[in-house]
Amino acid sequence: MLLKVEGMSAGYSGVDVIRELDLTIDKGEVVALLGPNGAGKTTTLLALAGVLAPTSGRVLYRDAPLRGALHQRARRGVSYISEQGSVFSRLTTLANLRLGPGPVADALALFPELEPLLKRRGGLLSGGEQRMLALARSLAGRPDLLLVDELSLGLAPLIVRRLLERLRAAADEAGTAVLIVEQHASQVLAVSDRGYVLRRGRLSLSGTGAELLASPEALQAAYLGAGADASSG
Ligand SMILES: Nc1ncnc2c1ncn2[C@@H]1O[C@H](COP(=O)(O)OP(=O)(O)OP(=O)(O)O)[C@@H](O)[C@H]1O
Ligand SMILES: [Mg+2]
C-alpha cells in the first residue's frame, strides 16, 4: 500500500473537524474523496500534504511515517494542488512551468493546449487553463502521490473530462496514485477505482467507483446522513 491512513484526526485551533479517518491508496489508483460542503475534504488533504498537523492517528507512506512540511513531502514524491489553484498569477505560463518539478517539455506534452499560452501571465489564464497549468506542472514531475482539491470548480464539463482523463492516464501510465476531492461525484467516480464519502468529518461510505456509481441512493444518503457509517465495500 502506498499510503495508509489510520485513525487520523485534524482540525483548527484545537477543534478536530476530521475524526478517526482510515483510508488507503495504492500505486496507480485514483481515489475520489467526496462529501458535502464543510465535510472536511480540504482539511484531509491539508493534513496529508503536511500543511496541517494531525492531532492523532498514523499516516504511513511506503510503510514509513509521512512527516514534515509540503516541500519535504515533495521530495518523497508527494504533490499537492490546492483549491486556490497553485498558479503564480504574476508569472508567465512558461515561468510557472519552469518552477515545477519536471521538464517543461513533459508538461507541454501532457497539455499541448498550454503551448500558445506560454507568454501569458498565469493570472490572465481562464479558470480551466489555470487548472491545466497546475496539473501539467505537477504531473511533469511524475509524482508518486498526487493530492488534488476541486480540480473542476467552475469549469465546463468538457474541460473537466479532459483533466480527469489526464489524471486517469497518469495513474495508468506512470503509476501515480491520485486522491482527488470533487463536487461532481458521478464524473469523478467514472474515472476512479474507489471512493470515500466524508460527512461531518467522518467516513460515511466507501466502495469501488463502480459500486458507488451503481447506487446513487446510497451515495445520496451518505451525503445527507441517512446512510451514516454504511459501507458498500
Ligand atoms: N482555517 C480554518 N479555521 C477554522 N475552521 C476551519 C478552517 N478551515 C476550515 N474550517 C472548518 O472545518 C470544516 C471542514 O472544512 P473543509 O474546508 O475541510 O471542508 P470541505 O469538505 O473541503 O468543504 P468544501 O466542499 O466547501 O470545500 C468546516 O466546518 C470549516 O468551516
Ligand atoms: Mg474544500
Side-chain angles (χ1 to χ4, degrees), residues 44 55 59 68 72 95 103 122 142 160 190 197 203 210 224 233:
T44 303
T55 53
V59 179
Q72 289 160 314
R142 296 186 152 255
V160 177
V197 184
L203 287 179
L224 298 175

Side-chain angles (χ1 to χ4, degrees), residues 12 17 36-43 83 150 183:
Y12 308 92
V17 301
N37 294 120
K41 304 180 299 294
T42 295
T43 304
E83 213 167 357
E150 303 273 2
Q183 292 293 348

